[in-house]
PDB file of all heavy atoms in Angstrom:
ATOM      1  N   VAL A 108      65.457 -23.031 -11.707  1.00  0.00           N
ATOM      2  CA  VAL A 108      66.032 -22.490 -10.468  1.00  0.00           C
ATOM      3  C   VAL A 108      67.541 -22.751 -10.451  1.00  0.00           C
ATOM      4  O   VAL A 108      68.344 -21.860 -10.142  1.00  0.00           O
ATOM      5  CB  VAL A 108      65.353 -23.116  -9.228  1.00  0.00           C
ATOM      6  CG1 VAL A 108      66.075 -22.720  -7.941  1.00  0.00           C
ATOM      7  CG2 VAL A 108      63.882 -22.716  -9.156  1.00  0.00           C
ATOM      8  N   LEU A 112      70.690 -20.060 -10.326  1.00  0.00           N
ATOM      9  CA  LEU A 112      71.682 -20.083  -9.238  1.00  0.00           C
ATOM     10  C   LEU A 112      73.088 -20.276  -9.805  1.00  0.00           C
ATOM     11  O   LEU A 112      74.049 -19.645  -9.347  1.00  0.00           O
ATOM     12  CB  LEU A 112      71.349 -21.201  -8.242  1.00  0.00           C
ATOM     13  CG  LEU A 112      70.105 -20.986  -7.373  1.00  0.00           C
ATOM     14  CD1 LEU A 112      69.721 -22.281  -6.651  1.00  0.00           C
ATOM     15  CD2 LEU A 112      70.310 -19.866  -6.352  1.00  0.00           C
ATOM     16  N   VAL A 143      73.661 -31.603  -9.202  1.00  0.00           N
ATOM     17  CA  VAL A 143      72.616 -31.335  -8.214  1.00  0.00           C
ATOM     18  C   VAL A 143      71.437 -32.282  -8.387  1.00  0.00           C
ATOM     19  O   VAL A 143      70.957 -32.476  -9.507  1.00  0.00           O
ATOM     20  CB  VAL A 143      72.102 -29.878  -8.350  1.00  0.00           C
ATOM     21  CG1 VAL A 143      71.025 -29.574  -7.309  1.00  0.00           C
ATOM     22  CG2 VAL A 143      73.255 -28.883  -8.237  1.00  0.00           C
ATOM     23  N   ALA A 157      60.638 -20.329  -4.925  1.00  0.00           N
ATOM     24  CA  ALA A 157      61.594 -19.687  -4.011  1.00  0.00           C
ATOM     25  C   ALA A 157      61.994 -20.638  -2.879  1.00  0.00           C
ATOM     26  O   ALA A 157      63.152 -20.656  -2.447  1.00  0.00           O
ATOM     27  CB  ALA A 157      61.017 -18.399  -3.434  1.00  0.00           C
ATOM     28  N   GLY A 158      61.035 -21.457  -2.414  1.00  0.00           N
ATOM     29  CA  GLY A 158      61.358 -22.460  -1.397  1.00  0.00           C
ATOM     30  C   GLY A 158      62.349 -23.479  -1.952  1.00  0.00           C
ATOM     31  O   GLY A 158      63.291 -23.901  -1.264  1.00  0.00           O
ATOM     32  N   LEU A 159      62.139 -23.855  -3.209  1.00  0.00           N
ATOM     33  CA  LEU A 159      63.082 -24.753  -3.880  1.00  0.00           C
ATOM     34  C   LEU A 159      64.457 -24.088  -4.002  1.00  0.00           C
ATOM     35  O   LEU A 159      65.496 -24.744  -3.837  1.00  0.00           O
ATOM     36  CB  LEU A 159      62.522 -25.109  -5.266  1.00  0.00           C
ATOM     37  CG  LEU A 159      63.352 -26.017  -6.160  1.00  0.00           C
ATOM     38  CD1 LEU A 159      63.590 -27.380  -5.509  1.00  0.00           C
ATOM     39  CD2 LEU A 159      62.660 -26.181  -7.516  1.00  0.00           C
ATOM     40  N   ALA A 160      64.449 -22.779  -4.249  1.00  0.00           N
ATOM     41  CA  ALA A 160      65.721 -22.043  -4.346  1.00  0.00           C
ATOM     42  C   ALA A 160      66.459 -22.041  -3.005  1.00  0.00           C
ATOM     43  O   ALA A 160      67.689 -22.057  -2.979  1.00  0.00           O
ATOM     44  CB  ALA A 160      65.474 -20.607  -4.817  1.00  0.00           C
ATOM     45  N   VAL A 161      65.721 -22.060  -1.895  1.00  0.00           N
ATOM     46  CA  VAL A 161      66.367 -22.135  -0.571  1.00  0.00           C
ATOM     47  C   VAL A 161      67.143 -23.446  -0.468  1.00  0.00           C
ATOM     48  O   VAL A 161      68.321 -23.474  -0.103  1.00  0.00           O
ATOM     49  CB  VAL A 161      65.333 -22.039   0.582  1.00  0.00           C
ATOM     50  CG1 VAL A 161      66.024 -22.206   1.940  1.00  0.00           C
ATOM     51  CG2 VAL A 161      64.569 -20.728   0.533  1.00  0.00           C
ATOM     52  N   VAL A 162      66.453 -24.548  -0.818  1.00  0.00           N
ATOM     53  CA  VAL A 162      67.076 -25.880  -0.735  1.00  0.00           C
ATOM     54  C   VAL A 162      68.289 -25.974  -1.659  1.00  0.00           C
ATOM     55  O   VAL A 162      69.384 -26.376  -1.247  1.00  0.00           O
ATOM     56  CB  VAL A 162      66.042 -26.969  -1.123  1.00  0.00           C
ATOM     57  CG1 VAL A 162      66.710 -28.324  -1.307  1.00  0.00           C
ATOM     58  CG2 VAL A 162      64.953 -27.057  -0.060  1.00  0.00           C
ATOM     59  N   MET A 163      68.084 -25.589  -2.910  1.00  0.00           N
ATOM     60  CA  MET A 163      69.158 -25.770  -3.895  1.00  0.00           C
ATOM     61  C   MET A 163      70.339 -24.836  -3.628  1.00  0.00           C
ATOM     62  O   MET A 163      71.496 -25.243  -3.772  1.00  0.00           O
ATOM     63  CB  MET A 163      68.607 -25.580  -5.310  1.00  0.00           C
ATOM     64  CG  MET A 163      67.623 -26.680  -5.694  1.00  0.00           C
ATOM     65  SD  MET A 163      66.872 -26.440  -7.328  1.00  0.00           S
ATOM     66  CE  MET A 163      68.245 -26.896  -8.406  1.00  0.00           C
ATOM     67  N   SER A 164      70.060 -23.603  -3.202  1.00  0.00           N
ATOM     68  CA  SER A 164      71.171 -22.677  -2.945  1.00  0.00           C
ATOM     69  C   SER A 164      71.972 -23.130  -1.724  1.00  0.00           C
ATOM     70  O   SER A 164      73.192 -22.978  -1.668  1.00  0.00           O
ATOM     71  CB  SER A 164      70.662 -21.247  -2.753  1.00  0.00           C
ATOM     72  OG  SER A 164      69.845 -21.150  -1.605  1.00  0.00           O
ATOM     73  N   HIS A 165      71.287 -23.730  -0.749  1.00  0.00           N
ATOM     74  CA  HIS A 165      71.972 -24.252   0.430  1.00  0.00           C
ATOM     75  C   HIS A 165      72.912 -25.400   0.033  1.00  0.00           C
ATOM     76  O   HIS A 165      74.088 -25.422   0.424  1.00  0.00           O
ATOM     77  CB  HIS A 165      70.931 -24.709   1.456  1.00  0.00           C
ATOM     78  CG  HIS A 165      71.515 -25.314   2.697  1.00  0.00           C
ATOM     79  ND1 HIS A 165      71.755 -24.572   3.846  1.00  0.00           N
ATOM     80  CD2 HIS A 165      71.904 -26.581   2.978  1.00  0.00           C
ATOM     81  CE1 HIS A 165      72.283 -25.366   4.762  1.00  0.00           C
ATOM     82  NE2 HIS A 165      72.378 -26.595   4.271  1.00  0.00           N
ATOM     83  N   GLU A 166      72.403 -26.333  -0.767  1.00  0.00           N
ATOM     84  CA  GLU A 166      73.237 -27.472  -1.178  1.00  0.00           C
ATOM     85  C   GLU A 166      74.382 -27.031  -2.082  1.00  0.00           C
ATOM     86  O   GLU A 166      75.513 -27.519  -1.950  1.00  0.00           O
ATOM     87  CB  GLU A 166      72.375 -28.531  -1.886  1.00  0.00           C
ATOM     88  CG  GLU A 166      71.440 -29.274  -0.952  1.00  0.00           C
ATOM     89  CD  GLU A 166      72.169 -29.900   0.226  1.00  0.00           C
ATOM     90  OE1 GLU A 166      73.240 -30.488   0.045  1.00  0.00           O
ATOM     91  OE2 GLU A 166      71.663 -29.776   1.357  1.00  0.00           O
ATOM     92  N   ILE A 167      74.082 -26.125  -3.007  1.00  0.00           N
ATOM     93  CA  ILE A 167      75.128 -25.620  -3.906  1.00  0.00           C
ATOM     94  C   ILE A 167      76.218 -24.929  -3.083  1.00  0.00           C
ATOM     95  O   ILE A 167      77.407 -25.052  -3.379  1.00  0.00           O
ATOM     96  CB  ILE A 167      74.504 -24.674  -4.965  1.00  0.00           C
ATOM     97  CG1 ILE A 167      73.727 -25.512  -6.006  1.00  0.00           C
ATOM     98  CG2 ILE A 167      75.558 -23.803  -5.641  1.00  0.00           C
ATOM     99  CD1 ILE A 167      72.872 -24.695  -6.968  1.00  0.00           C
ATOM    100  N   SER A 168      75.811 -24.247  -2.024  1.00  0.00           N
ATOM    101  CA  SER A 168      76.796 -23.569  -1.168  1.00  0.00           C
ATOM    102  C   SER A 168      77.715 -24.567  -0.468  1.00  0.00           C
ATOM    103  O   SER A 168      78.924 -24.344  -0.365  1.00  0.00           O
ATOM    104  CB  SER A 168      76.089 -22.689  -0.135  1.00  0.00           C
ATOM    105  OG  SER A 168      75.366 -21.668  -0.785  1.00  0.00           O
ATOM    106  N   HIS A 169      77.153 -25.691   0.011  1.00  0.00           N
ATOM    107  CA  HIS A 169      78.018 -26.732   0.590  1.00  0.00           C
ATOM    108  C   HIS A 169      79.072 -27.156  -0.437  1.00  0.00           C
ATOM    109  O   HIS A 169      80.231 -27.375  -0.096  1.00  0.00           O
ATOM    110  CB  HIS A 169      77.202 -27.982   0.956  1.00  0.00           C
ATOM    111  CG  HIS A 169      76.498 -27.928   2.289  1.00  0.00           C
ATOM    112  ND1 HIS A 169      77.119 -27.573   3.463  1.00  0.00           N
ATOM    113  CD2 HIS A 169      75.214 -28.245   2.630  1.00  0.00           C
ATOM    114  CE1 HIS A 169      76.247 -27.656   4.475  1.00  0.00           C
ATOM    115  NE2 HIS A 169      75.084 -28.052   3.995  1.00  0.00           N
ATOM    116  N   ALA A 170      78.651 -27.281  -1.701  1.00  0.00           N
ATOM    117  CA  ALA A 170      79.585 -27.760  -2.731  1.00  0.00           C
ATOM    118  C   ALA A 170      80.618 -26.702  -3.087  1.00  0.00           C
ATOM    119  O   ALA A 170      81.816 -27.001  -3.133  1.00  0.00           O
ATOM    120  CB  ALA A 170      78.820 -28.205  -3.981  1.00  0.00           C
ATOM    121  N   ILE A 171      80.172 -25.461  -3.336  1.00  0.00           N
ATOM    122  CA  ILE A 171      81.162 -24.471  -3.782  1.00  0.00           C
ATOM    123  C   ILE A 171      82.106 -24.063  -2.646  1.00  0.00           C
ATOM    124  O   ILE A 171      83.224 -23.658  -2.895  1.00  0.00           O
ATOM    125  CB  ILE A 171      80.534 -23.238  -4.487  1.00  0.00           C
ATOM    126  CG1 ILE A 171      79.644 -22.413  -3.563  1.00  0.00           C
ATOM    127  CG2 ILE A 171      79.748 -23.655  -5.716  1.00  0.00           C
ATOM    128  CD1 ILE A 171      78.977 -21.247  -4.280  1.00  0.00           C
ATOM    129  N   ALA A 231      76.692 -22.493   4.864  1.00  0.00           N
ATOM    130  CA  ALA A 231      75.806 -22.778   3.722  1.00  0.00           C
ATOM    131  C   ALA A 231      74.548 -21.922   3.789  1.00  0.00           C
ATOM    132  O   ALA A 231      74.025 -21.484   2.754  1.00  0.00           O
ATOM    133  CB  ALA A 231      75.452 -24.266   3.685  1.00  0.00           C
ATOM    134  N   ASP A 232      74.042 -21.662   4.980  1.00  0.00           N
ATOM    135  CA  ASP A 232      72.875 -20.780   5.128  1.00  0.00           C
ATOM    136  C   ASP A 232      73.204 -19.359   4.662  1.00  0.00           C
ATOM    137  O   ASP A 232      72.454 -18.743   3.903  1.00  0.00           O
ATOM    138  CB  ASP A 232      72.424 -20.703   6.599  1.00  0.00           C
ATOM    139  CG  ASP A 232      71.652 -21.940   7.044  1.00  0.00           C
ATOM    140  OD1 ASP A 232      71.255 -22.749   6.183  1.00  0.00           O
ATOM    141  OD2 ASP A 232      71.431 -22.085   8.259  1.00  0.00           O
ATOM    142  N   MET A 234      75.729 -18.300   2.739  1.00  0.00           N
ATOM    143  CA  MET A 234      76.013 -18.222   1.309  1.00  0.00           C
ATOM    144  C   MET A 234      74.742 -18.450   0.493  1.00  0.00           C
ATOM    145  O   MET A 234      74.519 -17.799  -0.527  1.00  0.00           O
ATOM    146  CB  MET A 234      77.061 -19.280   0.930  1.00  0.00           C
ATOM    147  CG  MET A 234      78.442 -19.003   1.490  1.00  0.00           C
ATOM    148  SD  MET A 234      79.550 -20.423   1.226  1.00  0.00           S
ATOM    149  CE  MET A 234      79.666 -20.431  -0.570  1.00  0.00           C
ATOM    150  N   GLY A 235      73.921 -19.384   0.941  1.00  0.00           N
ATOM    151  CA  GLY A 235      72.712 -19.748   0.200  1.00  0.00           C
ATOM    152  C   GLY A 235      71.739 -18.589   0.074  1.00  0.00           C
ATOM    153  O   GLY A 235      71.188 -18.344  -1.004  1.00  0.00           O
ATOM    154  N   ILE A 236      71.547 -17.858   1.155  1.00  0.00           N
ATOM    155  CA  ILE A 236      70.569 -16.766   1.127  1.00  0.00           C
ATOM    156  C   ILE A 236      71.058 -15.642   0.198  1.00  0.00           C
ATOM    157  O   ILE A 236      70.265 -15.001  -0.503  1.00  0.00           O
ATOM    158  CB  ILE A 236      70.238 -16.284   2.569  1.00  0.00           C
ATOM    159  CG1 ILE A 236      68.925 -15.500   2.601  1.00  0.00           C
ATOM    160  CG2 ILE A 236      71.351 -15.473   3.172  1.00  0.00           C
ATOM    161  CD1 ILE A 236      68.394 -15.249   4.008  1.00  0.00           C
ATOM    162  N   GLN A 237      72.365 -15.455   0.158  1.00  0.00           N
ATOM    163  CA  GLN A 237      72.941 -14.476  -0.779  1.00  0.00           C
ATOM    164  C   GLN A 237      72.769 -14.927  -2.224  1.00  0.00           C
ATOM    165  O   GLN A 237      72.411 -14.138  -3.102  1.00  0.00           O
ATOM    166  CB  GLN A 237      74.444 -14.305  -0.492  1.00  0.00           C
ATOM    167  CG  GLN A 237      74.772 -13.603   0.795  1.00  0.00           C
ATOM    168  CD  GLN A 237      74.725 -12.084   0.661  1.00  0.00           C
ATOM    169  OE1 GLN A 237      74.725 -11.554  -0.441  1.00  0.00           O
ATOM    170  NE2 GLN A 237      74.656 -11.394   1.787  1.00  0.00           N
ATOM    171  N   LEU A 238      73.044 -16.207  -2.448  1.00  0.00           N
ATOM    172  CA  LEU A 238      72.932 -16.757  -3.801  1.00  0.00           C
ATOM    173  C   LEU A 238      71.505 -16.642  -4.331  1.00  0.00           C
ATOM    174  O   LEU A 238      71.289 -16.246  -5.476  1.00  0.00           O
ATOM    175  CB  LEU A 238      73.323 -18.242  -3.809  1.00  0.00           C
ATOM    176  CG  LEU A 238      74.744 -18.660  -4.092  1.00  0.00           C
ATOM    177  CD1 LEU A 238      74.803 -20.184  -4.183  1.00  0.00           C
ATOM    178  CD2 LEU A 238      75.263 -18.040  -5.385  1.00  0.00           C
ATOM    179  N   MET A 239      70.524 -16.998  -3.488  1.00  0.00           N
ATOM    180  CA  MET A 239      69.141 -16.967  -3.986  1.00  0.00           C
ATOM    181  C   MET A 239      68.721 -15.539  -4.298  1.00  0.00           C
ATOM    182  O   MET A 239      68.006 -15.307  -5.269  1.00  0.00           O
ATOM    183  CB  MET A 239      68.163 -17.697  -3.048  1.00  0.00           C
ATOM    184  CG  MET A 239      67.793 -16.990  -1.772  1.00  0.00           C
ATOM    185  SD  MET A 239      66.593 -17.951  -0.773  1.00  0.00           S
ATOM    186  CE  MET A 239      65.060 -17.702  -1.710  1.00  0.00           C
ATOM    187  N   ALA A 240      69.199 -14.586  -3.493  1.00  0.00           N
ATOM    188  CA  ALA A 240      68.869 -13.184  -3.755  1.00  0.00           C
ATOM    189  C   ALA A 240      69.503 -12.717  -5.062  1.00  0.00           C
ATOM    190  O   ALA A 240      68.869 -12.037  -5.871  1.00  0.00           O
ATOM    191  CB  ALA A 240      69.341 -12.315  -2.588  1.00  0.00           C
ATOM    192  N   ALA A 242      70.188 -14.576  -7.517  1.00  0.00           N
ATOM    193  CA  ALA A 242      69.514 -15.290  -8.606  1.00  0.00           C
ATOM    194  C   ALA A 242      68.109 -14.742  -8.851  1.00  0.00           C
ATOM    195  O   ALA A 242      67.449 -15.142  -9.807  1.00  0.00           O
ATOM    196  CB  ALA A 242      69.455 -16.786  -8.301  1.00  0.00           C
ATOM    197  N   ALA A 249      63.582 -17.753   2.959  1.00  0.00           N
ATOM    198  CA  ALA A 249      64.513 -18.673   3.631  1.00  0.00           C
ATOM    199  C   ALA A 249      64.107 -18.966   5.083  1.00  0.00           C
ATOM    200  O   ALA A 249      63.947 -20.137   5.444  1.00  0.00           O
ATOM    201  CB  ALA A 249      65.946 -18.164   3.534  1.00  0.00           C
ATOM    202  N   TRP A 270      69.068 -33.883   5.042  1.00  0.00           N
ATOM    203  CA  TRP A 270      67.940 -33.002   5.271  1.00  0.00           C
ATOM    204  C   TRP A 270      67.179 -33.234   6.550  1.00  0.00           C
ATOM    205  O   TRP A 270      66.619 -32.313   7.092  1.00  0.00           O
ATOM    206  CB  TRP A 270      67.021 -32.955   4.049  1.00  0.00           C
ATOM    207  CG  TRP A 270      67.685 -32.047   3.109  1.00  0.00           C
ATOM    208  CD1 TRP A 270      68.642 -32.374   2.186  1.00  0.00           C
ATOM    209  CD2 TRP A 270      67.584 -30.633   3.082  1.00  0.00           C
ATOM    210  NE1 TRP A 270      69.139 -31.240   1.605  1.00  0.00           N
ATOM    211  CE2 TRP A 270      68.507 -30.163   2.126  1.00  0.00           C
ATOM    212  CE3 TRP A 270      66.822 -29.699   3.782  1.00  0.00           C
ATOM    213  CZ2 TRP A 270      68.675 -28.809   1.847  1.00  0.00           C
ATOM    214  CZ3 TRP A 270      66.986 -28.362   3.491  1.00  0.00           C
ATOM    215  CH2 TRP A 270      67.898 -27.932   2.537  1.00  0.00           C
TER     216      TRP A 270
END
Side-chain angles (χ1 to χ4, degrees):
V108 172
L112 290 168
V143 181
L159 179 60
V161 177
V162 169
M163 293 177 75
S164 64
H165 178 94
E166 289 306 317
I167 286 170
S168 297
H169 277 310
I171 64 183
D232 283 348
M234 291 171 66
I236 199 168
Q237 290 277 345
L238 268 186
M239 75 179 285
W270 281 87

